[in-house]
Amino acid sequence: RQRALLWGVLLAAWEAAWGQLRYSVPEEMPKGSFVGDVAKDLGLQPPELSDRGVRIQNKGRTQYFALHGKTGHLVTAERIDREQLCRLVEKCVLRCELIVEGEMQVYGIEVEVTDINDNAPSFRQAEKDFRLSETTAPGSRFPLAEAHDPDSGRNSLQSYELSGDEHFSLAVQAGPGGDQRPELVLAKALDREEAAFHELVLRASDGGDPARTGTARIRVTVLDANDNAPVFSQAEYTVRVPEDVPVGSVLVSVKATDADEGLNGQVKYNFHKISDRDSEIFYLDSETGEITIKDNLDFEEISSHELEVQAHDGGELFDTAKVVISVTDVNDNAPELTVSSAMSAISEDAPSGTVVALLHVQDGDSGINGEVRCWLDGDVPFRLERSFEDYYRVVTARELDREQVSEYNVTVRAADGGSPSLQSSAVLALRVLDVNDNAPVFAEERYSARLAENNAAGALVLTVRATDADWGQNARVRYRLSEGRVRGAPLSSYFLVDAERGTITLQEALDFEETRAFTLAVEARDGGGLVAHCKVEVEVLDVNDNPPEI
């Protein structure tokens, strides 16, 4: 047992490593029932699930499974009816994806929904009438309506039993698909004068524990001789129609003839074997044998329909023919493009290959109509990569430059292979975040000013200006005067630079006779620490402020 458990753990770990998890759950379990321990199989602790942005993406419009945030268990999101979901499929498997947004990782999950015996066999017709000639030979066989049990395996239909009288017995034949086809067998010659009617009960049982049963009542009316049965023109009718054929169209006409005359030679038609869904789609005219469509066909739902048509005359002799209606695909589904996860902003220094979005694309059509091609519109610094099955990633193709383009609206398009092709698109809005990759730049490398001596303190000398191509704090420029000395005194004792505006003013009046020119070094520094320098030449002009000395 320990070895089996170890193999199970190793198998789950191997499947998780390859992006695939498999579980099973019985149908009709209440909402919130345990399906599988996703956190354990992925090697994650429950608190890590929310940190990594783990969520379940269900395929289709209905959400059947959810992820329990505290335990990391996969649970049912609603009660699941296997017969409703998979009435035409022996093995019922639902698929969803587990998306780990923090790692841009996708895991496929397959959950097999196992059957329980929640349906009893039932007959489409609870009562069946036969009208048999008294000359009918013993050993004659008559097809009976088959019971239908939507369960699978042992829970499906297993056996038939007939009760009534000694004139009839039951035979069960195996159909081409392995199905059981009950037949009423005439075991003893009929005598209308002895008994004009025979009442029988056909019971169908499944293999459940306990078994469920369904019954149909059979009434046999004995008639005088009608020795010719209707005969179809062919044993099987086959027709191919596109799924967009208009409602009301005639798909095929069956034809049977009867050599008898009068009432015994009048032929009427009815469906002998037909599924519940097919009975909603097709209509058989009992007089003409025309089969018309009364509801839209859908290739994606059912691609082939098999019907059995019975022709019976006025004496209730009959013949049976098979009708096969093959539905061909029409490109009636556009690709569905879904943004599973996306970034809204990215730094301009992000390396090439950075993932910015995860997309899922699917097309309900089949063949070439369901083959989808995806691409990005325009000349953008991004490319599209296939991720997992029908998932794509949008990644950076080169480094970004916010100073050239600060925002991108990336359009992702998907087109199928139909003719004409159907398309869909999704737009990703992405802001480029600034990095301090530009130093301030002065409008001029050298500035010059001429100023008369004796100007009062606070007088404007000139204004320097530097700009920075970055954004926000990285573009905020502050100015300061580099250290220097004149005649032993610091330059800052003569001049003052406004840190925000770049204006240079006098700290005190200048004296031409003392100093005739000054050279200042001004520094501009942005919020990220990048700097630039410029030189400012200040010439002092003489004023006649000194009398002659003798």
Side-chain angles (χ1 to χ4, degrees):
R1 181 177 179 180
Q2 292 178 343
R3 180 177 298 177
L5 179 60
L6 177 60
W7 273 110
V9 172
L10 291 176
L11 178 61
W14 179 83
E15 290 180 335
W18 286 91
Q20 187 70 46
L21 299 173
R22 293 184 173 88
Y23 304 102
S24 67
V25 64
E27 65 171 326
E28 300 296 341
M29 294 292 286
K31 179 180 179 181
S33 297
F34 173 83
V35 178
D37 194 340
V38 172
K40 178 180 177 182
D41 294 340
L42 294 181
L44 299 176
Q45 294 298 321
E48 296 180 88
L49 298 178
S50 58
D51 295 342
R52 300 192 184 185
V54 180
R55 61 186 176 86
I56 292 294
Q57 178 75 34
N58 285 271
K59 291 192 174 183
R61 297 183 176 91
T62 304
Q63 180 172 349
Y64 295 107
F65 303 102
L67 187 66
H68 196 285
K70 293 184 178 179
T71 63
H73 292 170
L74 184 69
V75 298
T76 57
E78 65 176 31
R79 189 178 296 272
I80 301 174
D81 186 348
R82 177 195 165 280
E83 288 74 40
Q84 181 179 358
L85 292 176
C86 308
R87 55 186 171 189
L88 300 177
V89 181
E90 183 67 23
K91 184 175 182 180
C92 184
V93 177
L94 298 179
R95 294 175 174 84
C96 60
E97 285 88 29
L98 181 77
I99 299 176
V100 185
E101 291 186 1
E103 299 175 1
M104 294 292 180
Q105 183 68 38
V106 180
Y107 295 90
I109 297 179
E110 291 185 357
V111 180
E112 180 181 358
V113 181
T114 57
D115 184 53
I116 65 172
N117 191 24
D118 57 342
N119 292 279
S122 62
F123 293 87
R124 180 175 299 279
Q125 293 177 296
E127 296 185 359
K128 175 67 176 177
D129 292 330
F130 284 96
R131 298 168 65 84
L132 304 181
S133 171
E134 62 180 339
T135 60
T136 302
S140 299
R141 296 174 176 239
F142 309 98
L144 296 174
E146 295 180 29
H148 174 67
D149 190 335
D151 292 323
S152 65
R154 290 293 304 172
N155 294 329
S156 64
L157 178 67
Q158 298 295 319
S159 62
Y160 291 94
E161 179 183 355
L162 183 70
S163 60
D165 62 40
E166 61 184 4
H167 287 82
F168 297 92
S169 63
L170 179 69
V172 179
Q173 302 292 334
D179 56 321
Q180 299 184 51
R181 299 187 174 185
E183 293 180 346
L184 186 66
V185 180
L186 182 61
K188 182 180 178 180
L190 299 173
D191 187 349
R192 192 190 65 81
E193 288 70 32
E194 179 184 350
F197 302 96
H198 297 269
E199 300 286 346
L200 311 171
V201 175
L202 178 63
R203 177 176 286 101
S205 303
D206 63 23
D209 187 14
R212 291 174 174 262
T213 61
T215 60
R217 301 185 65 84
I218 302 172
R219 180 182 175 88
V220 180
T221 302
V222 183
L223 304 175
D224 283 332
N226 174 30
D227 56 352
N228 287 287
V231 178
F232 277 102
S233 59
Q234 55 194 83
E236 181 174 315
Y237 296 83
T238 303
V239 62
R240 293 172 59 88
V241 296
E243 63 176 325
D244 61 350
V245 62
V247 172
S249 301
V250 177
L251 304 183
V252 63
S253 293
V254 297
K255 180 68 175 177
T257 56
D258 192 304
D260 291 321
E261 293 182 345
L263 184 62
N264 292 331
Q266 293 180 3
V267 177
K268 292 186 180 296
Y269 305 91
N270 66 280
F271 284 125
H272 174 62
K273 182 180 180 181
I274 185 171
S275 68
D276 291 338
R277 178 57 181 147
D278 287 345
S279 65
E280 298 171 356
I281 299 176
F282 303 106
Y283 169 75
L284 173 61
D285 190 306
S286 62
E287 299 291 338
T288 64
E290 292 181 344
I291 298 178
T292 58
I293 180 173
K294 60 180 182 178
D295 195 4
N296 292 321
L297 297 173
D298 189 348
F299 173 86
E300 287 72 36
E301 180 184 359
I302 305 175
S303 60
S304 180
H305 302 265
E306 291 189 5
L307 319 172
E308 282 192 9
V309 178
Q310 189 177 85
H312 55 87
D313 60 21
E316 290 300 324
L317 296 182
F318 51 82
D319 190 16
T320 304
K322 183 178 181 181
V323 178
V324 178
I325 301 173
S326 298
V327 183
T328 58
D329 187 39
V330 173
N331 190 27
D332 56 348
N333 292 284
E336 295 182 12
L337 195 59
T338 306
V339 180
S340 299
S341 181
M343 298 171 60
S344 60
I346 184 173
S347 178
E348 64 177 321
D349 63 349
S352 178
T354 299
V355 181
V356 299
L358 183 65
L359 306 171
H360 179 253
V361 62
Q362 63 181 5
D363 193 302
D365 294 313
S366 64
I368 193 171
N369 293 332
E371 295 178 2
V372 181
R373 179 175 61 91
C374 298
W375 72 94
L376 301 180
D377 262 2
D379 183 17
V380 292
F382 303 96
R383 67 176 182 271
L384 207 57
E385 295 179 351
R386 184 179 289 273
S387 174
F388 170 79
E389 292 186 352
D390 298 328
Y391 284 85
Y392 290 84
R393 298 184 300 181
V394 179
V395 302
T396 55
R398 59 179 183 271
E399 290 188 354
L400 307 177
D401 188 348
R402 190 207 65 82
E403 286 70 44
Q404 290 186 5
V405 181
S406 61
E407 287 187 358
Y408 289 94
N409 286 321
V410 183
T411 301
V412 185
R413 295 194 182 277
D416 60 26
S419 180
S421 176
L422 299 180
Q423 294 189 10
S424 61
S425 64
V427 178
L428 305 173
L430 191 65
R431 290 184 298 108
V432 182
L433 302 180
D434 186 50
V435 173
N436 191 29
D437 55 351
N438 291 281
V441 177
F442 278 101
E444 301 178 31
E445 291 184 5
R446 302 178 71 91
Y447 290 83
S448 61
R450 303 179 73 192
L451 192 68
E453 65 175 329
N454 298 330
N455 260 310
L460 178 65
V461 178
L462 56 72
T463 300
V464 296
R465 180 169 178 79
T467 57
D468 193 303
D470 290 318
W471 179 259
Q473 188 65 24
N474 292 331
R476 185 181 180 185
V477 179
R478 297 180 64 85
Y479 306 90
R480 76 178 186 90
L481 190 63
S482 297
E483 291 300 326
R485 306 185 75 83
V486 174
R487 298 173 64 86
L491 285 173
S492 58
S493 65
Y494 293 96
F495 300 96
L496 175 66
V497 178
D498 187 288
E500 297 292 339
R501 295 179 294 175
T503 58
I504 302 175
T505 56
L506 292 178
Q507 285 276 62
E508 62 179 34
L510 304 179
D511 189 347
F512 173 82
E513 287 73 28
E514 198 175 277
T515 304
R516 298 189 176 189
F518 295 85
T519 300
L520 311 179
V522 179
E523 176 186 281
R525 180 182 297 269
D526 64 22
L530 299 181
V531 299
H533 298 86
C534 73
K535 285 189 175 183
V536 179
E537 302 284 349
V538 180
E539 180 184 354
V540 182
L541 302 179
D542 185 37
V543 175
N544 189 21
D545 58 348
N546 292 289
E549 293 182 2
I550 300 176

